[in-house]
Amino acid sequence: MKVAVLGGGNGSYAAAADFAEAGHDVRWWRRDRASFADVEKAGGITLTDHEGSRKIAVVPTDDLAAALKGAELIVAPTPAFAQEDIATKLAPHLEDGQVIYLPPGTFGSYLMMKRIREAGSKADIAIAETGTLPWLTRKQGPLEVRVTTRASRLPTGVLPARHTDHAIKAIAAVFPASIEPVEDALSGALMNAGPIIHPPLILMNAGPIEHFDRWDIHNEGTQPSIRRTHTALDNERMAIREALGYGAPHFPLADHYETSNWMYGNLAHDKLVDSGDWHEKLDLKSHRYMLEDVGMGLAFMVSVGEWAGVPCPVATGLLAIAGAVAERDFRAEGRTMEKIGLAGESREAVQTMLREGL
């Protein structure tokens, strides 16, 4: 397939390497060409995983039009707060039939489609999103990415849902045997694991995170009290899904710790801890766990709960505490149903939009 990969973060490096190694025609775009200077000079990057290390030939570009031309799939593993700007840049170049994949999305499918339409594009496209980044991965500098494990199950929702079959076929071509379609894009957004796993880990570990030079929130930072908070928070997410009529499986986070049924499959938490890549320094005001998983994901979940009439006391409390820690008002400035313009819409109107598109 012709696949465009957007961005220069951990997920984008892993995507470019995996897709190129699998034989796809990869166009890897990043707006800042200077950041790709080392990759261009080396002619590719090194991928390290359970099979060892090997160099993957992949050529980056800052020419977005060239990257998108003829691409059947556009994969954007970028932060949620970058989605609207990226959508504006994509709009003039999109073609009928193209599929954009957000892993994960935080309902970016709607925000991006809205911005693309506002920018004047009438291309008949689909935007899909899933519940997690398809790789547990960390960059090891500008020329290497290390993949601890890959997702074995990716619950994926599509906007508009009428294009689900077409979109899933395109995405499954690069993620074989892992894509599981769900009802629509909002169902996919409510599979997002980041707002469930990371807020308790960073907020309930705030003291040691600030005290020690490095702290592994997934190892010594995962204690029974935090796991109980995870469960209570995740129960609120699943209650919202059920209230909106979305069916099981809801991919409870407990499965990540206790079974092999979750998105990363068997022993994923153990592999994550053993890798040592997550023993790191976290700035509680600027890290993406705060800005994205709290400011975007948790704020969105709280607002959807309010819209659906589902009480979310744990999510609401964590959102308030995070605001105090970061000195931000995430409820006012974060991604919410009010902020994206859907709080006043009926459930029926939103369901129609999810099915038919904007």
Side-chain angles (χ1 to χ4, degrees):
M1 283 183 67
K2 295 180 179 178
V3 185
V5 175
L6 311 183
N10 300 311
S12 300
Y13 266 65
D18 266 6
F19 300 162
E21 186 173 44
H24 298 291
D25 177 4
V26 177
R27 298 90 175 275
W28 187 10
W29 174 82
R30 190 176 185 179
R31 72 185 78 197
D32 181 10
R33 191 180 186 94
S35 298
F36 267 151
D38 290 335
V39 179
E40 287 185 300
K41 183 177 180 180
I45 59 177
T46 296
L47 170 64
T48 300
D49 60 12
H50 69 283
E51 295 182 354
S53 297
R54 61 269 190 202
K55 184 175 178 179
I56 308 296
V58 57
V59 180
T61 181
D62 62 352
D63 186 340
L64 185 58
L68 297 181
K69 182 69 174 177
E72 298 155 87
L73 180 66
I74 302 162
V75 179
T78 55
F81 46 77
Q83 289 166 346
E84 289 187 86
D85 181 58
I86 289 174
T88 301
K89 290 178 168 57
L90 292 176
H93 310 294
L94 293 171
E95 306 167 1
D96 287 349
Q98 288 182 317
V99 177
I100 301 172
Y101 195 37
L102 310 177
T106 320
F107 210 39
S109 53
Y110 172 76
L111 263 293
M112 289 185 70
M113 188 72 82
K114 184 179 180 182
R115 181 59 64 91
I116 286 166
R117 295 295 179 238
E118 290 171 349
S121 173
K122 297 181 179 179
D124 189 16
I125 63 168
I127 306 181
E129 58 181 278
T130 189
T132 190
L133 192 68
W135 310 267
L136 285 178
T137 183
R138 281 290 187 270
K139 290 166 57 178
Q140 309 295 313
L143 289 175
E144 182 182 357
V145 63
R146 185 156 61 207
V147 175
T148 301
T149 192
R150 295 169 175 83
S152 56
R153 304 180 69 185
L154 291 169
T156 298
V158 179
L159 179 71
R162 60 186 173 85
H163 282 335
T164 294
D165 290 347
H166 168 71
I168 294 298
K169 182 179 179 181
I171 300 164
V174 298
F175 294 109
S178 62
I179 302 300
E180 300 183 22
V182 298
E183 296 90 344
D184 55 42
L186 181 55
S187 177
L190 291 171
M191 291 292 190
N192 192 349
I196 307 302
I197 192 169
H198 292 136
L201 287 176
I202 62 170
L203 296 173
M204 297 176 75
N205 281 287
I209 285 173
E210 292 189 327
H211 177 73
F212 294 106
D213 289 337
R214 297 193 306 164
W215 183 257
D216 190 340
I217 58 175
H218 297 288
N219 189 8
E220 57 265 40
T222 299
Q223 298 298 328
S225 59
I226 297 175
R227 286 286 298 109
R228 292 194 293 271
T229 305
H230 276 150
T231 297
L233 180 61
D234 206 25
N235 285 341
E236 293 177 356
R237 176 189 68 89
M238 292 186 285
I240 294 171
R241 286 184 52 79
E242 290 174 350
L244 293 175
Y246 296 132
H250 299 302
F251 287 82
L253 183 63
D255 285 351
H256 171 60
Y257 294 95
E258 300 166 7
T259 77
S260 61
N261 297 326
W262 203 64
M263 301 181 203
Y264 289 120
N266 193 31
L267 301 177
H269 179 71
D270 294 341
K271 293 176 182 176
L272 184 152
V273 169
D274 292 344
S275 74
D277 284 342
W278 280 260
H279 198 91
E280 55 191 345
K281 182 65 177 177
L282 304 178
D283 184 323
L284 291 176
K285 288 189 175 183
S286 63
H287 197 276
R288 68 176 183 86
Y289 292 164
M290 183 68 80
L291 299 184
E292 179 166 7
D293 293 327
V294 174
M296 297 282 163
L298 195 62
F300 180 69
M301 177 180 149
V302 168
S303 73
V304 176
E306 292 172 351
W307 177 72
V310 179
C312 299
V314 177
T316 302
L318 287 168
L319 188 64
I321 293 169
V325 170
E327 297 182 308
R328 305 275 291 267
D329 186 350
F330 290 122
R331 190 64 184 83
E333 66 182 70
R335 180 170 295 179
T336 64
M337 293 289 278
E338 293 85 1
K339 199 80 175 286
I340 66 178
L342 292 179
E345 298 291 336
S346 68
R347 192 174 298 186
E348 292 74 18
V350 171
Q351 287 173 339
T352 298
M353 178 274 294
L354 291 169
R355 182 177 63 252
E356 301 299 331
L358 280 71

